[in-house]
Amino acid sequence: MSNPNRQSVIIKGVGSYAPPKVVTNDDLSKVVETSDEWIRTRTGIRERRIAADNETTSDMAAKAAQEAILNAGISPQDIDLVIVATVTPDMPFPNTACFVQAKLGLRKVPAFDVEAACSGFLYALDVAEGMLRTGRYRNALVIGAEKLSSITNWQDRTTCVLFGDGAGAVVLSVVDEPGVGILNTMLGADGSETGILCVPGGGSASPSTVETIERSLHYIQMQGNQVFKIAVRVMCNSATEILNSTGYTADDVSLVIPHQANNRIIEALAQRLEIGLERFKINLDRYGNTSAASIPIALAEAHRNGRMKKGDLVLMVAFGGGLTWAASLIKWQ
Ligand code: ACO
């Protein structure tokens, strides 16, 4: 359980941003053949936030980051590293983190994106922690931000009801105290399942053409049933593995922040881990699935609602396209 280093990497500040436009299930039922009842009972989602046409992923990321920096009580000039997790970058390149760096007027520090779909935020957290532990950086901005509405097929009822837009951010900092903050993060991937959740067009495999657009290949495609089954298994396994790796048990966990994809996935996870749902942070009813933004938005909300106190064990667990999965265990500071 003890940290071999004398230093730890802690979450020093959190922030989030959700665009003001709310789209309810009833609103969607006017666009595709669906109903509030179907969406609520199958997913738990009641509404989602949708970005304005001219609002970019980096705009949302910068707003969430601003709040995280303020919450950390540091100056933007103290940031040494910027990592954005996203599947909806402003552009294929430059990376979204560079746009964020400029928007926030940060120093000319390293800025890059990480892409691991809905697991992206925890992947970015692990990358940032590793970089902080080299001693070359002290404060990192780690952001999950998505404008999923830009890759959603609004005529496909099997996917368009699931997703939303938003951003969440944390400031990660090195502190001279062992055994606090991030205790461990574990990542995994299974590249044999790339086809069950993807955006098939617009990349080098199938550059955008009139034909790819006509075939809607630039939108999210998902085999929901398959994803569902794998999600429950991999989230449960990664949560169990990270607890085992740190010597803790499910009973020790104060709060679980799971990727917010579907209530039924979270309920199955709670049941398998034998952790009561009251110890889960769930906000997908108001945001839908915001991919890489979902965990940091939930984390920021949980913090605002006073759900974490010093010494609490917080378990974050995610899965996403790739397939990818990740879990991180934190002793809250
Ligand atoms: N409204 C009404 N009916 C619908 C809708 C809708 N929005 N969507 C699908 N249906 C219909 C289907 O057409 C099907 O009809 P049929 O039986 O006549 O063929 C029926 O409802 C059942 O469809 P299923 O796909 O079997 O429904 P299921 O209970 O599996 O729920 C869902 C679908 C919600 C997508 C579920 O499978 C799920 O949540 N999967 C996980 C998805 C997920 O978590 N993705 C996260 C990753 S996202 C990322 O990484 C970017």
Side-chain angles (χ1 to χ4, degrees):
M1 247 181 269
S2 66
N3 190 322
N5 292 326
R6 299 175 66 81
Q7 294 188 317
S8 301
V9 174
I10 64 162
I11 293 183
K12 197 178 169 112
V14 295
S16 67
Y17 169 80
K21 184 176 173 187
V22 174
V23 174
T24 65
N25 293 344
D26 283 337
D27 292 334
L28 285 180
S29 70
K30 291 173 194 134
V31 183
V32 287
E33 203 181 318
T34 189
S35 67
D36 174 55
E37 204 262 334
W38 193 96
I39 303 170
R40 257 187 310 104
T41 52
R42 298 288 177 129
T43 70
I45 300 166
R46 291 171 184 274
E47 59 188 41
R48 69 286 294 143
R49 301 297 186 90
I50 299 296
D53 287 347
N54 63 354
E55 191 170 33
T56 64
T57 296
S58 69
D59 289 334
M60 295 187 280
K63 286 181 178 151
Q66 237 163 359
E67 190 182 304
I69 292 170
L70 201 66
N71 183 242
I74 62 171
S75 149
Q77 300 311 307
D78 295 326
I79 297 294
D80 304 310
L81 171 68
V82 188
I83 307 181
V84 174
T86 188
V87 294
T88 46
D90 289 13
M91 299 176 187
F93 77 91
N95 68 59
T96 308
C98 283
F99 288 105
V100 173
Q101 187 212 58
K103 281 176 186 168
L104 294 179
L106 306 179
R107 287 183 294 115
K108 309 295 180 210
V109 298
F112 61 94
D113 292 359
V114 161
E115 202 273 78
C118 302
S119 312
F121 175 75
L122 294 184
Y123 266 66
L125 197 78
D126 200 36
V127 171
E129 189 204 344
M131 291 179 73
L132 290 173
R133 284 197 181 280
T134 64
R136 282 184 277 144
Y137 313 91
R138 273 202 90 81
N139 300 300
L141 201 47
V142 181
I143 307 168
E146 300 286 11
K147 186 174 177 179
L148 291 181
S149 59
S150 68
I151 55 168
T152 297
N153 182 348
W154 294 103
Q155 270 142 39
D156 175 10
R157 68 175 183 172
T158 67
T159 52
C160 77
V161 300
L162 304 173
F163 301 112
D165 300 333
V170 300
V171 171
L172 279 192
S173 300
V174 179
V175 292
D176 295 319
E177 183 187 346
V180 294
I182 301 174
L183 301 181
N184 196 11
T185 301
M186 293 173 96
L187 312 177
D190 177 0
S192 69
E193 297 284 5
T194 48
I196 67 172
L197 177 52
C198 60
V199 175
S204 61
S206 183
S208 291
T209 61
V210 172
E211 195 219 333
T212 65
I213 304 284
E214 278 169 0
R215 291 172 57 208
S216 297
L217 299 185
H218 54 303
Y219 292 133
I220 299 172
Q221 300 193 353
M222 180 175 70
Q223 292 166 33
N225 269 325
Q226 304 254 58
V227 175
F228 191 105
K229 281 183 219 143
I230 299 173
V232 174
R233 178 169 46 81
V234 299
M235 280 174 98
C236 183
N237 288 349
S238 26
T240 306
E241 274 173 37
I242 196 124
L243 286 171
N244 290 343
S245 78
T246 46
Y248 287 106
T249 69
D251 282 347
D252 300 317
V253 174
S254 307
L255 185 66
V256 184
I257 302 185
H259 171 48
Q260 309 281 317
N262 186 316
N263 256 352
R264 291 187 294 145
I265 293 175
I266 295 176
E267 281 160 12
L269 178 69
Q271 201 170 27
R272 289 192 189 188
L273 292 176
E274 296 184 13
I275 298 180
L277 271 178
E278 71 287 349
R279 281 193 278 154
F280 278 72
K281 169 67 190 173
I282 301 173
N283 66 3
L284 63 87
D285 51 323
R286 285 172 289 123
Y287 297 106
N289 178 351
T290 56
S291 189
S294 100
I295 287 183
I297 291 176
L299 181 71
E301 237 183 50
H303 177 67
R304 245 177 257 133
N305 298 339
R307 287 194 69 176
M308 283 97 75
K309 54 183 191 313
K310 196 174 159 77
D312 277 357
L313 269 194
V314 179
L315 171 65
M316 302 188 282
V317 55
F319 74 96
L323 293 172
T324 57
W325 55 87
S328 187
L329 192 67
I330 291 180
K331 186 176 269 191
W332 197 255
Q333 264 299 81

